[in-house]
Amino acid sequence: MAYLSESDKKFLLESIRDIPDFPKPGIVFKDITTLLNNKQAFSLLIDHLEKRYKEYDLDYIAGIESRGFIFGSALAARLEIGFVPIRKKGKLPYTTVAEKYSLEYGFDEIEVHIDAFGHKKGAKVLLIDDLIATGGTAVAAANLINKVEAECIEACFLIGLKFLKGEEKLKDITKVYTILEID
Ligand code: AMP
């Protein structure tokens, strides 16, 4: 099983920019655009993900809107497997299956196309996003994959905000791999 060295983790972490008070006061936003436009950092990340996941015999990568699309589609192309977008409600044009999840105020909903993972039951899927915070979005996405009779084998995040304990919730549903843990 492939893991990153501490020095590679440090390099990736330093390529991500912190934006205080975005999108609202008190939130430190992890801006990954500075990792994406750094060719060494982006290649290091995708090389690592390829090395780890080529051993998994996956059928699909599912990415969560919108930054999960970037890492997920780059990895899917490397692994020569399909990519499936999990989107906010109302964006996907064909028949969808939806899952609601709670936010601090109210709720949100994500969707996937009903036939996104083919017609064979039990397709092996890796879920991917840039960051796990409270885990609400990822739990809903993993439930959605299982709801359409595919199998969420593992969920992968570049960054985990450990103090929000999102991974603990998600671990009841699927395995979790977080590259950079932030205390
Ligand atoms: P959550 O459902 O609370 O785990 O939130 C995860 C989603 O919100 C992911 O799609 C992240 O991209 C985004 N997100 C939450 N907190 C942050 C943050 N501090 N910096 C960047 N993105 C965030």
Side-chain angles (χ1 to χ4, degrees), residues 97-109:
V97 176
E99 184 81 13
K100 275 188 185 172
Y101 59 101
S102 336
L103 298 173
E104 202 177 343
Y105 302 103
F107 68 88
D108 217 336
E109 205 165 348

